[in-house]
Amino acid sequence: MIVIGIDLSGPSNHKDTVLTVFETQGAQLTFCKLIRNVSDLMILNEVKQQSDSDQIVVGIDAPLSYQDGGGDRESDRQLRKFIISLGMKSGSIMAPTFNRMVYLSLRGIKLSREIERLQTTNRISIVEVHPGAVIGARLPQIEIERTLTYKQNIEERRYLKAWFYKQGILGLPNHIEEESHMIDSVAAALGAWHWRDPAFQPQWIYPANEPLHPYDFCC
């Protein structure tokens, strides 16, 4: 199985969009490639190329639906409660239609549907992922503060690179700690892996509720 983690930014901000590709090998996830400054077409081409050889799971860090009428989805409310219970701050969970989120939501919704339309010989599964919650739900409680500082602190990102290895993620490149977007892309892959692989399970999940919310949301 191929696992792809995508830290998505808004449609005009390709430079902060990062895609990482991994391959499952037993109980481990082995790094294959990392692509920065990624457009929608680059994402679709990469997913299509990878799906020619194996089944694919794609974890996307972006809203993949919005609440009809605006405001929080029920999944947003439930995830906010969950991360607060871990000792994390609630501010990283914002409604998809919030001013700061709406363009990211637009890109996530559009891209996920385009991935669904790809004609491939292997199955493609998509899940919405919150990378900060993926990390926070697996860190020891005493280290939860790292989720609040890793985006600004390279030393915390170096710690997380080593921590990913303990989670079974092998072969990460030396420069992975340079930007938080790269760390978030790896965390998105970790969450998607545990969601899809029957040997694992997500730490939190809100099931899809079609037709308006067609994808699971997990961490």
Side-chain angles (χ1 to χ4, degrees), residues 28-172:
Q28 296 175 325
L29 204 61
T30 300
F31 174 81
C32 298
K33 70 168 71 172
L34 181 149
I35 310 174
R36 302 163 72 179
N37 195 13
V38 187
S39 68
D40 290 4
L41 185 57
M42 291 170 67
I43 291 171
L44 292 171
N45 287 341
E46 186 64 31
V47 172
K48 178 66 168 65
Q49 178 184 333
Q50 295 294 336
S51 68
D52 288 340
S53 60
D54 204 346
Q55 64 173 309
I56 303 288
V57 56
V58 183
I60 303 177
D61 173 23
L64 303 185
S65 66
Y66 67 92
Q67 184 64 26
D68 192 17
D72 281 336
R73 301 169 294 178
E74 182 60 27
S75 58
D76 299 319
R77 286 190 286 269
Q78 294 302 319
L79 180 57
R80 193 177 291 117
K81 290 178 182 178
F82 177 69
I83 68 169
I84 289 172
S85 75
L86 298 175
M88 297 174 63
K89 302 295 185 182
S90 64
S92 66
I93 313 295
M94 291 181 280
T97 52
F98 184 60
N99 285 348
R100 290 175 56 190
M101 291 291 290
V102 67
Y103 288 111
L104 174 61
S105 301
L106 173 66
R107 190 180 185 193
I109 292 167
K110 177 177 179 287
L111 182 62
S112 59
R113 275 55 169 187
E114 289 172 344
I115 292 173
E116 288 276 9
R117 292 175 61 190
L118 290 174
Q119 299 297 314
T120 69
T121 56
N122 291 296
R123 180 181 177 187
I124 301 174
S125 301
I126 301 171
V127 63
E128 182 177 338
V129 184
H130 189 287
V134 168
I135 295 169
R138 292 165 176 79
L139 280 174
Q141 186 68 33
I142 196 172
E143 296 182 359
I144 201 69
E145 287 290 323
R146 297 185 187 276
T147 63
L148 309 179
T149 57
Y150 77 89
K151 291 183 182 294
Q152 298 80 30
N153 189 327
I154 192 170
E155 293 302 323
E156 297 290 8
R157 296 196 294 273
R158 289 192 178 110
Y159 174 89
L160 290 175
K161 178 187 175 185
W163 177 82
F164 282 133
Y165 179 83
K166 296 178 182 177
Q167 306 306 304
I169 299 180
L170 309 182
L172 290 175

Side-chain angles (χ1 to χ4, degrees), residues 167-179:
Q167 306 306 304
I169 299 180
L170 309 182
L172 290 175
N174 291 331
H175 67 280
I176 199 78
E177 70 272 13
E178 289 178 5
E179 292 183 1

